[in-house]
Amino acid sequence: NYSFRRPLLTAPGVEIVSTIPGGYAYLSGTSMAAPHVTGAAAVILSRHPGLSPEGVIRALQRSADAPVAGPVNPSLGRLNLSAALRAI
């Protein structure tokens, strides 16, 4: 169900090692991808504390790797924190 507010980049979200009660498991989905983007935003803000929320979003979107083929949307670029930090 796509709307006008579709995601503008992708992040690792398949077969991610995560904690579960009593140990670890490989999990997939948005719940695994969202922490990658949140962590990337936190790293950017730690290096550039005065950057606006829009600036963080812009840095992440503009530095995403070339679009990757995939089952969701082949037009989305992949999160690249290193490139985002270099672009600011």
Side-chain angles (χ1 to χ4, degrees):
N1 184 5
Y2 290 98
S3 68
F4 68 94
R5 300 212 50 140
R6 70 175 181 81
L8 298 175
L9 62 99
T10 62
V14 177
E15 296 294 315
I16 304 297
V17 177
S18 184
T19 56
I20 60 170
Y24 300 92
Y26 288 96
L27 301 174
S28 299
T30 305
S31 296
M32 299 295 105
H36 284 88
V37 179
T38 303
V43 170
I44 289 170
L45 286 171
S46 74
R47 297 264 186 100
H48 303 278
L51 197 60
S52 68
E54 293 80 13
V56 174
I57 292 168
R58 195 168 32 255
L60 290 171
Q61 290 175 347
R62 290 183 179 169
S63 63
D65 288 339
V68 294
V72 177
N73 187 336
S75 67
L76 302 176
R78 185 181 61 207
L79 175 71
N80 185 332
L81 176 57
S82 180
L85 290 171
R86 287 191 310 269
I88 298 173

